[in-house]
Every structure is written in structure tokens, then in C-alpha cells.
Amino acid sequence: MIISILNYALFAVLLIYGFRVRFRSAENLNTQLIFYYTVAAAIAALGLGIGYSSALSRYSGAALFFIRLTASAVAGTHILVFMLAFSFPYERNLRIIRTIGMFAWAAVAVVILFSDLYEAQVTWEAGELVHVRGPLFIPVVVGGFALGILSGIILSIRRLFFKSQIYKLQTLLVIVGLFSGYIITFALAVFLPVQFGLVWTYPFMMLGGTLLALTLGYGVSITRLIDIRSVVSSLSSFILYSLVVGVISGSIYALLYLFIRDLPFFIVVLVGVAVFFVVDIISGRLRSQFKSLLQGQGAYAERLETGLSQLDYSKGRDAVISEFIEQLQKNMGCSSIHLFIENDEEQLVLAGSSSKAINSNNNSIPRKSPAIDHLLNEDVSILIKTEIITNYDYHTVKDELLKLLDTYNSDALVLLRDGRSVIGALLLGAKSNGAEFLDYDYDSLRRIYGKLFVTAYYLKNIAQESLVMTVDRELEFSEQIIQSLQENMDRIEHPHADISFMTRSARKLGGDFIDFIRLTKDRYICVMGDVSGKGLNASMSMVILKSIIRTYLKETKDFKTLIVRVNSFIKEYLPRGTFFAGFIGLFDFNERSLYYINCGIPTMLLLSSAYNNPVEIQGAGKVLGFVKDIAPYINVRKAGFKAGDILLVTTDGLIDAESVRGVRFGKERLQASLLENRSLSAERIVRFLNEDVTEFISQEINDDITILTIKFI
């Protein structure tokens, strides 16, 4: 019964995996052959399971038929593998071989199913399945095994003539799987039962067929080269870890046991646990150093991420581009880096390059083309050349994409996207050491993608070449751009609310901002707060954060999830040390309610129409950007309002403002100002509060100030 269940499970695994390969991988001849192989192997496993169940139930005729069905299906797998040996990895329609193969399969199946030449009888005796073999049994099984080995030899010879490294890798995986699968299947089905009488191994033969099916599916689906050094490094570090923990801890404990064996049992156990943990810590450090030694300069992702995080955007456009390209080339080892940024004419124009041998006619890429549209539709931002060659999903734009890469002698393309809009592109040249782009490179590009986007966003929106004419005028133009982006919000006009706000920067550029995003006519998202830093860097982070919040709102409807994603973006992608202190709220003006999360806003005052004292309602808050996962630390709060209630929210620049004597403005003066002006409009409350602060400090403000006032009607 257990044997039957095992084969039923293999039937399900093979069938599901076959359809997965068929529908998730590219639709081509090789995929079809692998799909047919998995179906044939699944039928073989099913026949084997039912055959054993029938024999166990003493239905000899049914058992014989299903064992023959298994053999017929296995014969088909041999022929399919032989076809694959001639077509893989290229797309070849070998009609003659396919036709001959199908006729050969049909002929062998007829002989096996409807004669006693292969299997004459199957019975269950003494707890084992007993076979009465026909005269063609050995020729058929040996012939099938030989055909499989021949297929592996053919693929090995053809592989010698492949130029593409990705095709060589795909074929190597198929060859390894093919030899392994056939050796395991032949050993379990024929060699061990016939030569050594181990008939119990026969029902496990489809384990080899399953291994081969999984390897074939993986081989045809892989589109990026594997970092063999990384694999070897991981394996070596695991072996080192096992040796240190197993051998050394065992040896140390054995020596200690000689001295503590007469002590109570719990002390002996405690010493053993202590030895294990000490050795585990030491071996962990050794494993890390050993892995780092093996990877050497190849493990660049962390270094590159750190370098991009330290870009100083206040140095200006040219300096940022130069340092950006230098970081990429130094760490990734690319022969060339080409950076394109969208201009006002919706063209991706060459903004910087590490190569001086660029033709003046090749300094732009159309932002809208069939190839780029295809990548956007498939949600692809990073594309390695090997993927274009091997992945059938790109067959309609394959020539266009390869032409683009070849024009700039590049092996990888990175589209820098703001939603579905492409704002920039990176073309990365081949590795200087002659190596191909690996799966590790793809993962590294994914890891730093947010930082690449931040730089592209800065170059497109804040440091546009058409606006930045001279270094002296850079801040002036940047201020104009940032101000226009800051003012781009959904203004609230609702019969139940009188709203006014202001933002005042200590310098020309600052990190305070406020934004309203309309969801419905009654519901708005409000984001208000302070992005850490000063000057251009803080302003740029503010603009990017404002944009990314709007992007995330299109993808998520859950309020708390929105804040969690925003926190992750700040932590991972904005310059290191950036944080956001403020609040994010969802106003429903029809219901006069507010759902909000305090993200470090220092003051939220509610002045109720029924009371004369403003009440703080902000609660405990957690600044965004300090921890990777902020979900456990934040809670959604709700505040309800009545007609006449006033909500006043300010950033820390107001309450921390100091007079010439060093006295803080503080919350008490803020409350007093609100009480004094409660009968006025929201606009006048904000204006008078700003005048109160200005009069109090009698000097320029030292920090940005943002004030929001809402009177509910």
C-alpha cells in the first residue's frame, strides 16, 4: 500500500509540474517535449501504483495490464528525451525525427501492451511482486537505457559548439539530470532486481524519472547564469561549519567529560550545551570570513549599496552623475556604464557615460517603443542579455532589445520607473574580466534598484540639465522645481471643513512638506511632516517620498500597510540616516472623522466646541525609517469631530523655535494662540500663529515649520 501511495504522489507531482512548465515557461518545442515527458512519466507512476494495488488485491490481469502500461509510458520517455537531445536548447522543428519517434513509440507500445514478449505475467507471492519476463524484456529495457545515455552523449558533444554561456549552462543541467535520472531508474528497475534479486527496488524506479523531469524543467526555464563561485562558497562554508561544530565541539566535550562525568546529570548536559554554543559562535565567524575570502571582490552588493547611499546630492548634477557612475563601475566591474534620463521631450537622453567612444547619433533612446512598452506591460525593470536570448517571452521584441544592447556594447538593461513612466535607464557593459552577468548580478541590481531610482528621480525632477545653467543658479532653479512639485496636491474644498496650512523653510530648501490626496469627494489622505536633513538633500527626499506615497496608494487599500511600505522605502532606498517625523491620516469629512497613525508628529491639538482647553491627541508615535518592519510598533487611531471643533497640527520646528534668550516657544504658547483665535477662520488662525512665532523669536527660524488647521463645520 505504501508503494502505491508513493507512486500516486509521484503521479500528482509530475502532472502538476508538467503543466507548470507548460504554462509558466516559454511556449516552444523544447517546453512541449518536456511537458510530454512529464505526462508520460506521470502515467508510468500511476500505472505502477495501480499495478501494485491490483496485484495486492489478487487481480492478476489488471496488475499485468497496468505494469505493461508503465513500461509503454517509460518507452515513450526514452524517445522524447532522444528528440530533446537534437533540439535543445535551440528552437528546432525536427519533423522527420518526431515522426519516426512517434511511430517507434506506437510500435513498442503495441508490442508491450498486447503480447507476452515483454511481460508475460505478474503475481503477488510471499509479500512481493513476481514478474514473469518475456524474451524482449532485456532488449527493451537495455535499449531504452542506451537511448537515454546516447541522448546525453549527443547533448554533451553539441554543447562543445555552443558560444552562449547561458546555453552551455542550460545544457549542462539537462545532461547532469539525464545521466543521474537514467542511472537511478535503470539501477532500481533492472540492475538490482535482475542481478541481485532485490525485487523491492522495482516500484521505486520512477524516482529517477521524477528527478529527470524536475531537472529538464529547471534547465529550460533558467535564463540567468548561476554564480558557481557563490555555490561553491556556500557549500564550503557549510562543510566548514559542520566540521567545526561537529568535530571540534565533540572533541572538546569528550575531554571535558573526563573531568565532569561524576557530577550530576544536569551539569553534564549544561556543559555540553555551553560547549556547543561557544563553538557555534566561533564557527559562525569562521564561516563568514571563509565565504568572504572565497567570494573576494565578487560580493559587491553591500559595498555598492553603501556607496550609493552616501551620494551627496547637494554637489550638483555633474558631480552626482560622475560619482554615481564611478560607484557602479568600481563595484560591478563593468566595462562601460551609460546613464539615460528623460528630458522634456519624453526622450531618454544620455546624461553620463564612462565611455568616451559614444557616437553623437547614439545619445538618446525612445521612451516609447514596442520593446519598452513590452517590458512595462510585463512589469520588467531589470533585464540581462541572457534572458533576452533564452526567454521566449521576449521573442516579439528580441531583435529590438538585442540591437539596443549591441549599440552600446552592453549586457544588461535597467529601466528606472516611476510607476508606469520610465524616467531613466542604465545600460551596463560587459564585465571587464570577461565574465558574464550572473544571477548574483541580477539580485544585486534588484537590491539597489531603489537607490538607482532615487538618483534618476533627482536628475529628472530636481537637477534637469535644461534648468540648471550654472552652479551659482542651481539652488535657485532647484527651489523653483521643488516648490512646484510641493504645490502639486489635491486641494480640499468641502462644505464640512475650513482648511488652511503653511510651510516655512529655514533655508531656501527644506524637508517639511504637506500633501493631500483625494480618494473620493469626502475622503482624503493627508501626509504632513519633516524629512530629516537640511537643504537640497532633504528637499529631494521629501519630493521622492511624496511621489512614492501616491504610487503605493494605487497598489494598496489598507491604511496600515501603506505606512509599513512607506517606512520600508525610507529605510531601504533613501540616503542612509533619512527618517520621517510626521503623521499620515485619512479624513472622512462627511462623517467628520480622522483615522491616523502618529509617525513622530510632536503636536496634534483638538479644541472641542464643548471645552475651553485644547487636548493633545497624537499619542505615542514611531518615526519612519529607523527600523525595517514598523508594523509591530504602530496602531491606527481614530478621532471624531463635531461642528465647531478645531484640529491643529504642527511640526517640531514651531514648538522648538527659540527666542534670542534661548526660550522655547513650546506647546503652552501654541495652545494659548489657538484659544485666542478660535473664533477666526482657519486661514487667520494659521497666519496669526505664524506671526506669533516670528515675533517671539525676533530672528530667522532655525528649523522648517509646517502648520495645518482644520475647522469642522
Side-chain angles (χ1 to χ4, degrees), residues 88-234:
F88 190 83
Y90 300 108
E91 178 68 14
R92 292 179 176 176
N93 191 4
L94 306 172
R95 293 184 179 178
I96 296 178
I97 295 179
R98 292 182 70 180
T99 303
I100 294 174
M102 290 303 102
F103 276 113
W105 187 1
V108 172
V110 168
V111 171
I112 293 175
L113 284 171
F114 304 108
S115 74
D116 294 337
L117 295 176
Y118 178 81
E119 191 91 44
Q121 188 177 2
V122 175
T123 57
W124 187 268
E125 298 178 6
E128 293 182 348
L129 192 69
V130 178
H131 300 262
V132 178
R133 317 289 191 186
L136 292 183
F137 175 79
I138 295 298
V140 168
V141 296
V142 173
F145 176 73
L147 193 63
I149 298 301
L150 178 62
S151 301
I153 295 172
I154 292 172
L155 270 176
S156 300
I157 295 174
R158 290 184 58 230
R159 183 178 180 273
L160 298 176
F161 300 95
F162 295 161
K163 294 182 179 180
S164 172
Q165 293 297 323
I166 186 63
Y167 282 157
K168 286 189 174 184
L169 177 62
Q170 286 182 321
T171 309
L172 178 62
L173 290 172
V174 171
I175 292 170
V176 171
L178 195 151
F179 282 123
S180 302
Y182 265 89
I183 291 173
I184 292 173
T185 301
F186 185 78
L188 294 175
V190 181
F191 185 72
L192 293 176
V194 173
Q195 294 297 319
F196 298 97
L198 302 176
V199 295
W200 61 268
T201 65
Y202 176 78
F204 297 98
M205 70 175 185
M206 290 314 299
L207 291 173
T210 303
L211 172 64
L212 178 52
L214 296 176
T215 308
L216 291 175
Y218 182 68
V220 76
S221 64
I222 189 172
T223 58
R224 294 187 294 271
L225 292 170
I226 299 173
D227 189 352
I228 302 298
R229 173 173 288 190
S230 178
V231 174
V232 173
S233 170
S234 298

Side-chain angles (χ1 to χ4, degrees), residues 1-8 52-53 56 124:
M1 182 59 69
I2 295 177
I3 291 174
S4 297
I5 293 174
L6 170 65
N7 281 282
Y8 295 152
Y52 259 75
S53 296
L56 185 62
W124 187 268

Side-chain angles (χ1 to χ4, degrees), residues 533-581:
K534 304 294 182 183
L536 183 58
N537 279 350
S539 296
M540 191 199 70
S541 297
M542 174 268 291
V543 172
I544 293 173
L545 185 58
K546 178 177 176 178
S547 174
I548 207 66
I549 290 173
R550 289 176 174 265
T551 300
Y552 285 165
L553 270 174
K554 299 175 184 178
E555 303 170 357
T556 181
K557 303 302 180 185
D558 183 76
F559 186 54
K560 184 174 180 178
T561 301
L562 171 67
I563 281 77
V564 171
R565 294 192 63 185
V566 170
N567 175 78
S568 297
F569 180 86
I570 296 172
K571 179 67 176 175
E572 295 179 18
Y573 298 137
L574 290 184
R576 183 168 296 181
T578 300
F579 61 86
F580 170 74

Side-chain angles (χ1 to χ4, degrees), residues 2 79 82 107 151 201 279 348-349 360 512 549 638 665 703-704:
I2 295 177
I79 294 171
F82 188 69
S151 301
T201 65
V279 176
L348 295 174
V349 179
S360 59
D512 268 25
I549 290 173
K638 180 182 179 181
F665 186 79
D703 196 3
D704 303 336

Side-chain angles (χ1 to χ4, degrees), residues 363-381:
N363 61 359
S364 66
I365 302 173
R367 193 174 69 85
K368 294 184 178 180
S369 66
I372 291 185
D373 288 343
H374 181 82
L375 296 180
L376 290 176
N377 291 333
E378 296 296 323
D379 196 26
V380 175
S381 298

Side-chain angles (χ1 to χ4, degrees), residues 336-341 347-366 400 402-410 425-427:
S336 61
I337 307 284
H338 307 296
L339 173 63
F340 295 81
I341 298 296
Q347 291 283 320
L348 295 174
V349 179
L350 187 66
S353 174
S354 63
S355 175
K356 297 180 180 179
I358 293 293
N359 191 321
S360 59
N361 297 324
N362 296 330
N363 61 359
S364 66
I365 302 173
E400 183 181 350
L402 290 177
K403 181 180 179 181
L404 172 63
L405 293 179
D406 291 341
T407 300
Y408 296 94
N409 296 319
S410 300
L426 270 173
L427 284 168

